[in-house]
């Protein structure tokens, strides 16, 4: 095995060219392409190996065509998958090439932890979090939510006089605290909250909904306070700043003040899952974004906050972040006992990452974040996030005006302008014709001009569209998507004309009422 610089650069150039050629093509590979790619896998582990040249050709000719353009295409609207800005992509190449293991602060040996601290501080500036907040990088909001709930568990035990449960164990800590269990009070939430409850010994049974039945993302404060009064139960509240199905916000400036007061009154921990809603705080301070900025206001009153970099910030997978204003709680939960080969500078203001998070070993996720923030600054990221919102609002406006589609959730008590000001970057919709609606997602994705995901709303199929790519262009996306949606309806009506005529004929020949 040897490194041939010239050959490697040639392969790298060919790969870059092949990737660029994909960005304007279909969003997803065809089934034939997928079958072909799978057919090129070696049947077993090669004995001698196929060599770099053959493997490079295999990657370019077989593997690349079989991967989705989820990051390349501005019209991949599944999940909430961001792209990768040029600065972040360049930095990520450096991350792989030098392969730093960011676990211990070693200021005499590497800049890795200094870069991480600088990236965290720049992020806090972008989203207007005060300097007192401590942050770290994670693999994504799922782990960040786990950290938030773990810190909450430690906090509510300590508020009831218990010793560190990490030292004495959860069972004895609960006895000392005089509690029978925990409850996790939530609005409509991400599945990772359920996973956190399972992993942390609380169980799914501990999760209780405190949202309104018809608006599950909004907090029913009367119900919340009633639950907080439960005897011998320690409470953790988790709310969504940007609900994952509809994009609606479960928080706002006034709501956060009420939540903080209740948490202080009942010694509860307040966690905010702001995986993508966090970046509403980075929108320009202009009238069109007044509602969204208010919806994301007051997060500084929480105890912990989750965020994702691989969504709206447009850095590569995997990248999340976790913020808390309780460094002592973070230390109690995550600090690694002293180990000889983990020696670090104890008096440093920069903590070793292994003492403030779950992982001991991880890559330098912070570098792409640092690079994209340095390259494009506040104004560049304001513009990027604003464009994503504009795309979503443009399509939402089309759906509101359409006789064939419905924007969800239905808001009959609001005018169009009020509805649109609440649209962030995620929209949910369905076709009014139930037969078309059952087939809508399949027909949309069959055109391969965009990729949208599906879900259920009010027991009916719905189509979900999450705009989160830096390449988004409002005019282009409007033309492509509205034309596609109009064509789907037009084609459906032509092919199912009898279904549309039948109600009319029935009304013509119906027996008149006397």
């Amino acid at each position: 095995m040897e490194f041939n610089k010239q050959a490697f650069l040639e392969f790298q150039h060919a790969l870059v060219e092949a990737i660029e050629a994909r960005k304007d093509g279909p969003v997803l590979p065809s089934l034939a392409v997928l079958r072909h790619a799978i057919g090129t896998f070696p049947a077993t582990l090669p004995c001698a190996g196929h060599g770099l040249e053959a493997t490079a050709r295999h990657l370019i000719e077989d593997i690349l065509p079989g991967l989705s353009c989820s990051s390349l295409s501005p019209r991949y609207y599944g999940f909430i998958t961001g792209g990768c800005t040029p600065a972040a992509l360049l930095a990520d190449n450096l991350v792989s090439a030098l392969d730093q293991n960011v676990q211990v602060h070693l200021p005499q040996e590497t800049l890795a932890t200094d870069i991480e601290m600088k990236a965290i501080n720049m992020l806090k500036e972008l989203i207007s979090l005060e300097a007192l907040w401590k942050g770290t990088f994670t693999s994504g909001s799922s782990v960040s939510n786990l950290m938030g709930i773990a810190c909450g568990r430690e906090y509510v035990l300590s508020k009831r006089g218990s010793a560190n449960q990490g030292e004495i164990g959860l069972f004895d800590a609960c006895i000392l605290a005089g509690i029978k269990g925990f409850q996790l009070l939530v609005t409509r939430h991400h599945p990772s909250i359920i996973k956190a409850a399972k992993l942390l010994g609380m169980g799914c049974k501990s999760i209780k909904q405190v949202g309104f039945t018809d608006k599950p993302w909004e907090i029913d404060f009367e119900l919340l306070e009633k639950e907080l009064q439960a005897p011998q139960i320690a409470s953790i509240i988790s709310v969504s700043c940007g609900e994952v199905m509809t994009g609606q916000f479960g928080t706002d400036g006034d709501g956060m003040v009420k939540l903080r007061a209740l948490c202080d009154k009942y010694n509860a921990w307040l966690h905010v899952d702001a995986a993508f809603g966090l970046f509403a705080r980075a929108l320009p301070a202009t009238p069109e974004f007044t509602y969204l900025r208010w919806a994301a206001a007051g997060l500084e009153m929480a105890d912990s906050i989750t965020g994702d970099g691989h969504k709206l910030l447009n850095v590569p997978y995997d990248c999340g972040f976790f913020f808390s204003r309780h460094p002592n709680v973070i230390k109690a939960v995550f600090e690694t006992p002293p180990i000889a080969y983990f020696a670090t500078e104890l008096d440093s203001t920069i903590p070793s990452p292994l003492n403030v998070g779950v992982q001991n070993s991880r890559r330098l996720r912070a570098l792409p974040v640092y690079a994209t923030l340095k390259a494009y600054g506040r104004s560049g990221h304001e513009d990027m996030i604003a464009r994503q919102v504009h795309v979503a609002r443009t399509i939402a406006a089309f759906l509101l005006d359409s006789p064939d589609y419905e924007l969800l959730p239905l808001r009959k008590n609001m005018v169009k302008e009020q509805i649109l000001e609440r649209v962030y970057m995620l929209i949910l919709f369905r076709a009014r014709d139930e037969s078309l609606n059952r087939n809508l997602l399949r027909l949309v994705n069959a055109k391969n001009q965009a990729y949208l995901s599906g879900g259920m709303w009010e027991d009916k199929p719905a189509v979900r569209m999450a705009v989160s790519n830096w390449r988004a262009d409002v005019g282009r996306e409007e033309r492509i998507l509205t034309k596609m949606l109009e064509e789907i309806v037009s084609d459906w009506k032509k092919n199912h004309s009898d279904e549309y005529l039948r109600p009319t004929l029935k009304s013509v020949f119906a027996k008149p009422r006397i």
Side-chain angles (χ1 to χ4, degrees):
M1 189 183 300
E2 61 180 24
F3 181 73
N4 184 321
K5 178 181 175 181
Q6 186 59 38
F8 185 86
L9 290 175
E10 290 176 3
F11 298 145
Q12 191 175 49
H13 178 74
L15 183 60
V16 169
E17 291 296 315
I19 290 170
E20 274 297 297
R22 286 284 315 270
K23 76 177 192 300
D24 296 320
V27 178
L28 300 181
S30 67
L31 290 177
V33 169
L34 288 170
R35 284 194 291 266
H36 167 78
I38 292 171
T40 65
F41 293 170
T44 59
L45 174 67
C47 181
H50 297 159
L52 178 59
E53 182 176 353
T55 302
R57 286 200 305 272
H58 173 59
L59 292 174
I60 295 169
E61 298 171 6
D62 304 319
I63 300 300
L64 174 60
L67 300 175
S68 76
C69 286
S70 56
S71 179
L72 280 178
S73 173
R75 287 178 299 285
Y76 183 92
Y77 301 127
F79 305 101
I80 303 175
T81 303
C84 185
T85 67
L89 180 59
L90 188 64
D92 202 54
N93 277 268
L94 182 56
V95 172
S96 294
L98 295 187
D99 201 22
Q100 307 287 287
N101 182 3
V102 188
Q103 55 177 335
V104 179
H105 178 53
L106 300 170
Q108 306 301 319
E109 300 177 23
T110 176
L111 278 173
T113 48
D114 294 273
I115 290 169
E116 184 153 309
M117 183 59 69
K118 175 53 69 175
I120 283 290
N121 289 337
M122 291 166 76
L123 264 175
K124 288 191 292 187
E125 289 185 65
L126 180 67
I127 59 176
S128 301
L129 271 187
E130 296 172 345
L132 62 88
W133 282 76
K134 305 303 178 185
T136 190
F137 285 92
T138 69
S139 60
S141 59
S142 294
V143 170
S144 297
N145 281 332
L146 174 67
M147 292 178 64
I149 306 305
C151 287
R153 184 183 65 177
E154 181 68 30
Y155 177 86
V156 297
L157 285 169
S158 67
K159 279 291 185 179
R160 287 159 177 80
S162 177
N164 184 344
Q165 65 85 26
E167 295 291 334
I168 67 173
L170 184 58
F171 183 75
D172 286 344
C174 288
I175 292 174
L176 282 175
I179 65 169
K180 297 185 295 185
F182 302 88
Q183 61 181 358
L184 192 48
L185 304 174
V186 302
T187 51
R188 191 177 177 112
H189 55 281
H190 189 268
S192 61
I193 297 295
I194 300 173
K195 186 176 288 188
K198 292 165 69 175
L199 287 171
L200 294 169
M202 299 178 190
C204 298
K205 190 177 179 181
S206 70
I207 299 175
K208 296 181 180 180
Q209 299 286 340
V210 291
F212 291 100
T213 304
D214 59 338
K215 295 181 286 185
W217 58 86
E218 284 192 19
I219 303 162
D220 181 339
F221 282 96
E222 184 177 337
L223 175 59
L224 174 61
E225 183 158 19
K226 181 181 177 181
E227 294 289 354
L228 287 169
Q229 293 169 351
Q232 295 182 289
I233 299 294
S235 300
I236 300 167
I237 300 172
S238 177
V239 294
S240 295
C241 179
E243 184 269 325
V244 75
M245 189 64 179
T246 64
Q248 303 298 312
F249 285 76
T251 58
D252 63 29
D254 290 336
M256 289 300 295
V257 171
K258 293 180 184 178
L259 283 171
R260 183 69 266 157
L262 287 172
C263 286
D264 291 342
K265 181 178 180 180
Y266 295 102
N267 290 324
W269 178 272
L270 177 54
H271 175 69
V272 177
D273 179 359
F276 59 94
L278 187 61
F279 290 103
R281 294 169 67 93
L283 283 165
T286 54
E288 64 178 326
F289 299 126
T290 298
Y291 174 83
L292 292 178
R293 288 175 60 86
W294 175 242
L299 295 194
E300 61 277 3
M301 286 179 265
D303 295 300
S304 58
I305 302 171
T306 284
D308 258 338
H310 53 235
K311 289 184 170 66
L312 273 70
L313 192 61
N314 277 247
V315 299
Y317 275 94
D318 51 14
C319 179
F321 22 87
F322 172 75
F323 296 104
S324 177
R325 55 190 181 92
H326 298 277
N328 291 337
V329 175
I330 296 174
K331 180 179 179 181
V333 176
F334 298 110
E335 187 174 44
T336 301
I339 301 173
Y341 63 88
F342 278 173
T344 183
E345 295 195 4
L346 299 177
D347 61 346
S348 175
T349 57
I350 298 178
S352 287
L354 62 88
N355 288 327
V356 293
V358 175
Q359 291 177 277
N360 278 8
S361 301
R362 58 177 170 81
R363 74 199 309 260
L364 184 52
R365 296 187 182 103
L367 188 57
V369 174
Y370 169 81
T372 200
L373 292 174
K374 185 177 189 303
Y376 310 115
R378 180 181 297 277
S379 62
H381 287 86
E382 285 182 352
D383 173 71
M384 178 175 70
I385 298 166
R387 275 188 288 111
Q388 293 164 0
V389 176
H390 286 147
V391 170
R393 286 182 173 180
T394 299
I395 303 306
F398 165 81
L399 295 167
L400 286 170
D401 293 338
S402 172
D404 302 301
Y405 293 102
E406 290 180 321
L407 181 69
L408 303 170
L410 299 175
R411 296 180 182 272
K412 296 179 181 179
N413 59 335
M414 290 186 186
V415 298
K416 182 179 178 180
E417 289 73 20
Q418 291 174 311
I419 296 172
L420 291 179
E421 74 174 2
R422 285 163 168 76
V423 173
Y424 182 31
M425 38 61 65
L426 197 159
I427 57 176
L428 190 71
F429 66 96
R430 65 186 173 212
R432 295 179 186 272
D433 178 82
E434 291 191 7
S435 181
L436 170 58
N437 191 53
R438 288 192 295 271
N439 293 275
L440 182 58
L441 181 65
R442 174 181 60 81
L443 294 171
V444 166
N445 289 337
K447 286 188 171 290
N448 219 352
Q449 298 172 1
Y451 176 80
L452 282 72
S453 57
M456 298 293 291
W457 188 260
E458 297 173 333
D459 298 321
K460 294 181 180 180
V463 176
R464 177 179 173 277
M465 173 181 166
V467 187
S468 50
N469 195 290
W470 69 273
R471 299 176 190 262
D473 178 276
V474 180
R476 179 187 62 201
E477 270 51 275
E478 179 184 16
R479 289 191 300 273
I480 292 173
L481 293 169
T482 56
K483 181 181 178 183
M484 178 185 72
L485 291 170
E486 287 171 343
E487 286 177 349
I488 287 172
V489 171
S490 177
D491 292 344
W492 184 265
K493 288 180 177 179
K494 288 177 184 176
N495 295 326
H496 300 80
S497 57
D498 57 327
E499 296 179 18
Y500 285 85
L501 286 171
R502 198 175 295 129
T504 304
L505 293 173
K506 283 174 68 178
S507 65
V508 170
F509 295 106
K511 184 178 179 179
R513 285 188 172 186
I514 298 175

